[in-house]
Amino acid sequence: MTNSVDSSRIRGVLVPVVTPFDRELRPDPKRFVRQCRWLLDQDVGLAAFGTNSEANSMALAEKIALLDALVEAGLPTGRMMPGTGCCALTESVELTRHAVRLGCAGVLMLPPFYYKGISDEGLFRSYSEIIQRVGDTRLRIYLYHIPPVSQVPISLPLIERLLKAYPGAIAGVKDSSGNWDNTRAMLEQFQPHGFDVFAGSEAFLLATLRGGGAGCISATANVNPGPIARLARTWRQPDADDQQRALCALRDIFQKFPMIPALKAAVAEYAGDPDWAWVRPPLVELDDVQRGALLSALRAAGFAMPGLRSSPVHP
Amino acid sequence: MTNSVDSSRIRGVLVPVVTPFDRELRPDPKRFVRQCRWLLDQDVGLAAFGTNSEANSMALAEKIALLDALVEAGLPTGRMMPGTGCCALTESVELTRHAVRLGCAGVLMLPPFYYKGISDEGLFRSYSEIIQRVGDTRLRIYLYHIPPVSQVPISLPLIERLLKAYPGAIAGVKDSSGNWDNTRAMLEQFQPHGFDVFAGSEAFLLATLRGGGAGCISATANVNPGPIARLARTWRQPDADDQQRALCALRDIFQKFPMIPALKAAVAEYAGDPDWAWVRPPLVELDDVQRGALLSALRAAGFAMPGLRSSPVHP
């Protein structure tokens, strides 16, 4: 279970980019590219097609088209870790293979999440089949542990088994359990073997970095990317705890609302583009009261998204 | 919320047909057609792409190819209610539209099941978008309520709202909650308005029919179709309770094992075709001990699948 530490691995802060839809609820590649470019400028990597991207409300073909749009626009694939775990084995293989061929630094992979009460043996076979079918030494899988949503946990014994069987392909984890004891156990057991642990939100960023982890992948990096990335760069400085507190205070504002609609309402407001507020069913956009409450709380906190409004569509 | 009772509606017993895979885990249309023909001969309709079909382990394109194979083989679409509810709005629309154009009697539709804690408003919008995008008066949706697996329940108020808004398209429900009080409430509140209630297993078949319901859609109809269909035809006869007890006794044998692998192990054994045992990850086939225990229990119960072994591949 040794995994040589690879300094080229993607680290730091990544963002599950919210997906722009038009009024027909079609993904909008033009606004997507623009948003991703702005996020990269804030020094966060792109974990497109995450939970907060409404990835699982999009068809396979829609995800492939959006990823292609980023690459065609010249955005750096070395800063990309798209979500590629689908319910269907064959869809996970197709999307993962596509991401690897494009040169993405890694893929963030949900377990198949329809069937419940799944055994570790079944999940091992699932990841194993995908790795073998993709059959590419460039593949770097980051396991996506998010039991509150997927309802299919990735246990520590499963990680140990996968890491032993595929030390090259199994590169790390995003722990969205919200359970620090679990993140700490991953840091202690697996990070020393080159298995990169990302916290599931910036609330655990400082603790994760102090524990030797790789960074965080966080919903609120859609709206607060610069300050979160700054903590990842400067966490050894004396003001790190103050930075962490400030990040949590802003995060707390968003957590009072349904997260994805709230993120999109904020982007819509600060980009000056109301169409950003669209979500696909089964999600529902914020109502006027929620939206008003969110925006006044943000104003009261002195919140800004610097450079977003002036960010050019075709730079 | 009135819905004229349509005597042409599909009723009785339907089966979420188990999906045959080959050794490369590819769906096998030839064995699928053969199995579906045998099931139709036993007087059960085809609810292909259900939970027990491993539908959510298959890609959209794989499901379309299997459905096309049934139609090309000349199987009657009036006896088909394929599952078409996917996580992604656009995939649900595409698969549903395809089924309707082929002339399927109905579609069994899961809610989008990745995001949890979804509001009734969000689920209403989801079904509503699909109905409007399919835009075909022949569409008959059977709502698929299976909270133990989907973790996204379809509430009684949601049904009421959908039925009021789309009295033509919202045709019924499969209640796999396992909660008879819920099935009874659906029978009392909605069946009189022409909303057809199917029990989620034959354990509730007699009670559902006595309550005015339409029938059942049951995993174990893969292995015990004839006797289950007989009860649906003869439930007013004096031996109905005895029939129900016998159905439950056989069902109890399968419920001691993981259901999908157990169904496939039985089909493999009684069809004399070991390849039927393959399941896609994250499921795992029965081990030898489980398989032995299942088959001896079935032998002890005098179980048979009449006509299956001799069922021709190309009749």
Side-chain angles (χ1 to χ4, degrees):
Chain A
M1 207 184 67
T2 53
N3 201 343
S4 63
V5 178
D6 176 354
S7 62
S8 71
R9 288 271 192 82
I10 192 166
R11 294 177 68 88
V13 179
L14 287 96
V15 54
V17 188
V18 288
T19 304
F21 298 112
D22 65 19
R23 284 164 197 222
E24 301 296 318
L25 300 178
R26 289 175 298 220
D28 181 343
K30 194 186 291 183
R31 285 187 295 148
F32 185 60
V33 168
R34 178 189 184 187
Q35 193 71 8
C36 286
R37 192 171 272 134
W38 177 76
L39 289 162
L40 288 168
D41 286 347
Q42 310 297 308
D43 198 21
V44 298
L46 306 175
F49 317 144
T51 297
N52 287 282
S53 313
E54 299 171 79
N56 291 305
S57 301
M58 289 193 283
L60 176 66
E62 291 173 320
K63 287 183 259 195
I64 287 177
L66 283 178
L67 192 56
D68 287 346
L70 294 185
V71 175
E72 284 159 17
L75 274 59
T77 53
R79 298 288 288 148
M80 297 182 195
M81 187 200 290
T84 62
C86 306
C87 279
L89 174 69
T90 38
E91 290 196 339
S92 296
V93 169
E94 185 173 345
L95 189 52
T96 302
R97 184 184 285 141
H98 194 79
V100 171
R101 287 184 180 166
L102 289 175
C104 292
V107 295
L108 185 57
M109 198 178 289
L110 278 169
F113 53 82
Y114 181 67
Y115 297 98
K116 306 303 187 297
I118 291 300
S119 65
D120 275 5
E121 171 66 19
L123 292 179
F124 179 82
R125 290 189 191 185
S126 179
Y127 283 109
S128 199
E129 278 288 336
I130 294 167
I131 291 166
Q132 294 181 29
R133 288 174 185 231
V134 171
D136 193 312
T137 56
R138 294 171 296 174
L139 173 60
R140 295 289 175 272
I141 292 177
Y142 295 82
L143 305 167
Y144 190 3
H145 178 56
I146 182 169
V149 184
S150 69
Q151 304 278 332
V152 179
I154 296 173
S155 71
L156 301 178
L158 173 62
I159 294 174
E160 185 170 2
R161 190 174 162 198
L162 282 167
L163 201 44
K164 194 169 177 182
Y166 303 103
I170 299 295
V173 71
K174 175 185 179 188
D175 183 6
S176 293
S177 66
N179 173 1
W180 173 249
D181 287 342
N182 190 65
T183 310
R184 186 168 49 196
M186 289 174 170
L187 286 167
E188 289 173 1
Q189 289 183 45
F190 306 121
Q191 183 73 55
H193 301 281
F195 176 85
D196 282 330
V197 177
F198 288 86
S201 94
E202 76 276 22
F204 296 115
L205 177 56
L206 186 53
T208 297
L209 293 170
R210 284 176 175 161
C216 74
I217 303 174
S218 176
T220 32
N222 275 288
V223 290
N224 198 29
I228 302 175
R230 178 170 168 254
L231 176 56
R233 285 193 308 270
T234 65
W235 65 276
R236 287 188 177 87
Q237 294 184 5
D239 71 341
D241 286 290
D242 291 337
Q243 287 189 54
Q244 181 66 71
R245 271 188 291 276
L247 298 184
C248 287
L250 187 75
R251 181 176 175 83
D252 286 348
I253 294 176
F254 281 91
Q255 286 201 303
K256 293 194 180 83
F257 303 89
M259 181 58 82
I260 300 170
L263 295 172
K264 289 186 132 179
V267 174
E269 174 72 13
Y270 287 84
D273 177 358
D275 279 353
W276 259 108
W278 292 106
V279 290
R280 268 196 177 173
L283 301 187
V284 175
E285 70 284 353
L286 297 191
D287 64 28
D288 287 347
V289 173
Q290 289 173 314
R291 187 174 164 279
L294 171 66
L295 297 179
S296 25
L298 291 176
R299 273 191 299 271
F303 175 73
M305 293 178 74
L308 179 61
R309 187 180 288 258
S310 57
S311 172
V313 175
H314 300 292
Chain B
M1 207 185 62
T2 53
N3 201 343
S4 62
V5 177
D6 177 352
S7 61
S8 72
R9 287 271 191 82
I10 191 165
R11 296 176 69 85
V13 178
L14 287 96
V15 53
V17 188
V18 287
T19 304
F21 297 112
D22 65 17
R23 284 163 197 223
E24 299 298 318
L25 301 180
R26 289 174 297 219
D28 180 343
K30 195 187 290 183
R31 286 187 294 147
F32 184 59
V33 168
R34 178 190 184 187
Q35 193 71 9
C36 286
R37 191 171 273 133
W38 177 76
L39 289 163
L40 288 168
D41 286 346
Q42 310 297 307
D43 198 21
V44 299
L46 306 174
F49 316 145
T51 297
N52 288 281
S53 314
E54 300 171 78
N56 291 306
S57 299
M58 289 192 283
L60 176 65
E62 292 173 320
K63 288 183 260 194
I64 287 177
L66 284 178
L67 192 56
D68 286 347
L70 295 186
V71 175
E72 284 159 18
L75 273 59
T77 53
R79 298 287 289 148
M80 296 181 195
M81 188 199 287
T84 63
C86 307
C87 279
L89 174 68
T90 37
E91 290 196 338
S92 297
V93 169
E94 186 174 342
L95 188 52
T96 302
R97 184 184 285 141
H98 194 77
V100 172
R101 286 184 181 166
L102 289 175
C104 291
V107 296
L108 185 56
M109 199 178 288
L110 279 169
F113 52 83
Y114 181 67
Y115 297 98
K116 305 303 187 298
I118 291 301
S119 65
D120 275 4
E121 171 67 19
L123 293 179
F124 179 83
R125 290 188 191 186
S126 180
Y127 283 109
S128 197
E129 278 288 336
I130 294 167
I131 292 167
Q132 293 180 29
R133 286 171 186 233
V134 172
D136 193 312
T137 56
R138 294 171 298 175
L139 173 61
R140 296 287 175 275
I141 293 177
Y142 295 81
L143 305 168
Y144 190 2
H145 177 57
I146 183 168
V149 183
S150 68
Q151 305 278 332
V152 179
I154 297 173
S155 72
L156 301 177
L158 174 62
I159 295 175
E160 184 169 3
R161 189 173 162 199
L162 282 168
L163 201 44
K164 193 169 178 182
Y166 303 103
I170 299 295
V173 72
K174 175 186 180 188
D175 183 7
S176 294
S177 66
N179 174 1
W180 173 249
D181 288 343
N182 191 64
T183 310
R184 187 168 48 199
M186 290 175 171
L187 286 167
E188 290 173 0
Q189 289 183 43
F190 305 121
Q191 183 72 57
H193 300 282
F195 177 85
D196 283 331
V197 176
F198 288 86
S201 93
E202 77 277 21
F204 296 116
L205 177 56
L206 185 54
T208 297
L209 293 170
R210 283 177 175 160
C216 74
I217 303 174
S218 176
T220 31
N222 276 288
V223 289
N224 198 29
I228 302 175
R230 177 169 170 255
L231 176 57
R233 285 193 308 271
T234 65
W235 64 277
R236 288 189 176 86
Q237 294 184 5
D239 72 340
D241 286 290
D242 291 338
Q243 286 189 53
Q244 180 67 71
R245 269 188 292 274
L247 297 184
C248 287
L250 187 76
R251 181 176 175 82
D252 285 347
I253 295 176
F254 281 91
Q255 286 201 302
K256 293 195 180 82
F257 302 91
M259 180 58 82
I260 299 170
L263 295 172
K264 290 185 132 179
V267 173
E269 174 70 12
Y270 287 84
D273 177 358
D275 279 354
W276 260 108
W278 292 106
V279 291
R280 267 195 178 172
L283 301 188
V284 176
E285 71 284 352
L286 297 192
D287 64 28
D288 288 345
V289 173
Q290 290 173 313
R291 187 174 163 278
L294 172 65
L295 296 180
S296 23
L298 291 177
R299 272 192 298 272
F303 175 73
M305 295 178 73
L308 179 62
R309 189 181 285 259
S310 59
S311 172
V313 174
H314 297 294

